[in-house]
Amino acid sequence: MHTTNMLLVAASIILNLVLIIHILYNNSTTTTWNLSWTSRAADEAEEAASVSCSGHGRAYIDGLGVLDGSKPPCECNNCYTGDNCSFLLPDCHAAANSGDPLFLEPFWMQAAEGSAVVESGWHRMSYHFHEDGSYVSAELERIIRKLHNLVGNAVTDNRYVIFGTGATQLVAASVHALSQTNSSSLTRLVSAIPYYNAYKEQTDFFNYANLKFEGDASVWKKSEHNDNLTQVIEIVTSPNNPDGKLKRAVLEGPNVKTIHDYAYYWPHFAPITHLADEELSLFSLTKTTGHAGSRFGWALVKDEAVYERMKRYLTLSSMGVSRDTQLRALQLLKVVVGDGGEEIFHFSYETMKKRWEMLNKILAMSTRFSLETIEPDYCNYFKKRRDFTPAYAWVRCERFEDTNCYEIFRGAKIKGREGKVFGSEERFVRLSLIRTQDDFDQLADLLKKLVSKEVVRGQSI
């Protein structure tokens, strides 16, 4: 009898264990999955990352042909071709037009583990983050405030933070918000020459009923229309695109509202000389981390009414920024602030410094082309006096007959951007210095050839 009872107790224990396991792993009311469900995504990402493309290109998990089961193909840098990007094309033009900040790509390859993002298929499927209808990740807002406090480039206290699809959308939202007055007269939009060409292009394209682009802020200041009554919006880009200078507003008065575009105000490009403390400031992930393709920017707004009008514009035009983009931005900025910005800002500054040293060395041999000098300044972030290292070279053609600088450089197989699109003279051309190392090397080589034609005796480049 005793043996029988023991067997019954043992059987009961085993049965209960089976039932517990069944409940834990097979409860029909709970969705379960393999805890290694990220493996496939990780394998695909690492397979693409492992394709070297001879160091002259990249492979991506969404590359052409992957849906057919093909290995991610190489997408080659400018002037390179072949299955492995190993063939350098002869007579290729240097790409120095766009502001693609691909110079930061090597940093993110070094930070591959920390910057990687894997998300579930059900991540943030709602239109909103919270029941209150927010389109903004609270954690991303927190880390943006932390980033500015760390770098020391902007005041975030008593500011609203609003997200946009890049600074491009935020410019449009800001102009919309600031031009909404009870006045039936036109609001005038101005910016000091040379100005970023998108300001004029956006205004012309959207053909606002109550807004007109008037061009140079300095010209407007001296004009008879500057009557302290006409409503004016001035966009101040600092550091400026295209010439890299720190700028201040030209206009003032009760009829003037100002948008400060600080997209380039990071240690990559300029000394951090002061905390920006403005009514409305714009920033962009593009020029902070280099991720132009993510299309993410943010604004720091002091006035609640302006913030609400901007939010209304962004809600109606796009219902906020993609939740996937916000997740990626959060992960990238966690890497940036994780060590106080030490790694990324030192990497970026040293890269830009080397490029400027090379460019200055080449153009120092020329009397035909010149760069406007920007005096070094003390950087509060690096705690030292340092040179400006702008994203672009704003080059002037000095010869009387060189009336179109863009065409001079195009003839030398260098594709820059015309001075006239920045409201300036055609004697200027903008050259991008922030693309890949391949792009910069090609630009430097062609510049050497162009300058060497001046036959400067007794010197070498």
Side-chain angles (χ1 to χ4, degrees):
M1 178 66 72
H2 179 72
T3 302
T4 302
N5 287 339
M6 291 293 290
L7 289 172
L8 289 172
V9 170
S12 176
I13 292 173
I14 292 170
L15 180 60
N16 279 302
L17 286 172
V18 170
L19 289 171
I20 289 170
I21 291 171
H22 178 78
I23 290 170
L24 287 174
Y25 292 98
N26 296 288
N27 191 328
S28 60
T29 63
T30 304
T31 301
T32 62
W33 55 85
N34 187 336
L35 293 181
S36 63
W37 61 271
T38 59
S39 297
R40 180 202 53 77
D43 289 344
E44 287 182 354
E46 294 203 12
E47 181 185 20
S50 69
V51 181
S52 72
C53 301
S54 300
H56 300 299
R58 297 286 174 260
Y60 302 99
I61 58 174
D62 59 352
L64 186 65
V66 295
L67 292 179
D68 301 322
S70 301
K71 190 175 182 178
C74 286
E75 298 181 17
C76 301
N77 293 344
N78 182 58
C79 295
Y80 285 88
T81 189
D83 291 341
N84 200 34
C85 303
S86 56
F87 182 71
L88 179 63
L89 292 169
D91 297 322
C92 185
H93 285 65
N97 181 9
S98 81
D100 257 345
L102 297 170
F103 78 107
L104 282 165
E105 192 179 56
F107 170 80
W108 291 108
M109 294 177 73
Q110 295 170 13
E113 183 176 354
S115 60
V117 176
V118 177
E119 61 180 277
S120 63
W122 58 94
H123 175 76
R124 299 289 184 190
M125 292 175 64
S126 171
Y127 284 115
H128 311 114
F129 273 93
H130 309 289
E131 292 182 1
D132 63 0
S134 173
Y135 298 123
V136 171
S137 162
E139 281 298 286
L140 182 52
E141 179 181 333
R142 283 181 58 201
I143 206 164
I144 284 172
R145 293 180 186 273
K146 184 176 181 179
L147 173 66
H148 284 299
N149 293 338
L150 184 156
V151 175
N153 63 347
V155 173
T156 59
D157 293 340
N158 302 313
R159 297 295 193 280
Y160 297 95
V161 179
I162 190 166
F163 298 165
T165 307
T168 304
Q169 187 187 34
L170 289 169
V171 168
S174 301
V175 168
H176 167 82
L178 296 179
S179 63
Q180 297 300 292
T181 67
N182 294 326
S183 173
S184 59
S185 61
L186 278 175
T187 297
R188 312 304 173 104
L189 181 67
V190 297
S191 190
I193 286 176
Y195 49 71
Y196 178 44
N197 54 305
Y199 304 148
K200 180 181 187 302
E201 290 175 358
Q202 274 194 357
T203 308
D204 293 345
F205 178 79
F206 288 119
N207 194 25
Y208 297 99
N210 61 337
L211 182 72
K212 182 182 178 183
F213 187 81
E214 289 287 354
D216 188 12
S218 297
V219 172
W220 177 265
K221 185 176 182 178
K222 299 172 184 176
S223 78
E224 62 183 18
H225 302 294
N226 184 24
D227 53 12
N228 293 323
L229 296 174
T230 303
Q231 296 297 307
V232 181
I233 300 171
E234 180 182 359
I235 303 181
V236 180
T237 309
S238 183
N240 193 37
N241 174 8
D243 61 12
K245 295 180 179 179
L246 294 180
K247 293 292 188 78
R248 296 189 181 278
V250 173
L251 305 177
E252 58 183 4
N255 62 315
V256 178
K257 299 180 177 69
T258 310
I259 301 167
H260 286 83
D261 185 344
Y262 283 117
Y264 294 88
Y265 193 39
W266 298 100
H268 322 321
F269 306 124
I272 304 302
T273 60
H274 66 286
L275 270 169
D277 186 9
E278 314 295 351
E279 292 286 331
L280 175 53
S281 301
L282 308 182
F283 295 87
S284 168
L285 192 73
T286 298
K287 300 306 186 290
T288 309
T289 69
H291 292 81
S294 292
R295 307 309 306 132
F296 179 75
W298 63 93
L300 305 177
V301 187
K302 185 181 287 188
D303 184 82
E304 183 177 9
V306 173
Y307 164 75
E308 290 295 339
R309 287 196 289 269
M310 289 181 69
K311 188 166 72 170
R312 178 67 173 164
Y313 178 96
L314 295 165
T315 297
L316 292 177
S317 62
S318 61
M319 296 190 73
V321 176
S322 159
R323 311 304 171 259
D324 307 292
T325 290
Q326 293 189 50
L327 176 64
R328 189 183 194 196
L330 175 64
Q331 190 63 37
L332 294 169
L333 294 182
K334 281 167 65 177
V335 173
V336 173
V337 305
D339 64 351
E342 183 76 16
E343 289 192 18
I344 187 170
F345 293 134
H346 278 80
F347 173 89
S348 58
Y349 171 57
E350 289 300 322
T351 301
M352 293 304 299
K353 182 182 176 184
K354 289 175 183 175
R355 293 186 179 189
W356 270 100
E357 287 171 349
M358 173 64 77
L359 182 69
N360 284 323
K361 182 180 178 182
I362 295 169
L363 293 184
M365 303 296 181
S366 174
T367 58
R368 187 181 185 185
F369 310 110
S370 66
L371 291 167
E372 192 167 347
T373 302
I374 307 177
E375 291 298 320
D377 210 334
Y378 185 81
C379 178
N380 294 320
Y381 178 77
F382 285 128
K383 302 292 188 293
K384 66 178 182 180
R385 190 172 176 83
R386 52 156 286 193
D387 289 324
F388 282 74
T389 48
Y392 312 104
W394 186 234
V395 183
R396 176 183 169 86
C397 287
E398 297 291 349
R399 287 182 181 173
F400 177 78
E401 65 271 22
D402 291 346
T403 56
N404 191 321
C405 205
Y406 168 79
E407 290 297 337
I408 298 299
F409 277 80
R410 192 166 75 96
K413 297 189 289 190
I414 297 172
K415 293 180 180 178
R417 188 169 294 184
E418 297 170 277
K420 68 178 182 180
V421 304
F422 300 97
S424 189
E425 304 171 60
E426 290 190 334
R427 284 192 174 276
F428 287 93
V429 65
R430 192 196 77 171
L431 304 178
S432 176
L433 306 180
I434 56 175
R435 291 175 56 83
T436 67
Q437 190 61 43
D438 281 341
D439 287 315
F440 181 76
D441 290 342
Q442 291 152 15
L443 171 63
D445 287 343
L446 290 172
L447 279 174
K448 288 176 184 178
K449 292 177 182 178
L450 178 60
V451 171
S452 69
K453 293 178 181 179
E454 297 179 47
V455 193
V456 179
R457 297 180 181 275
Q459 300 184 68
S460 61
I461 298 174

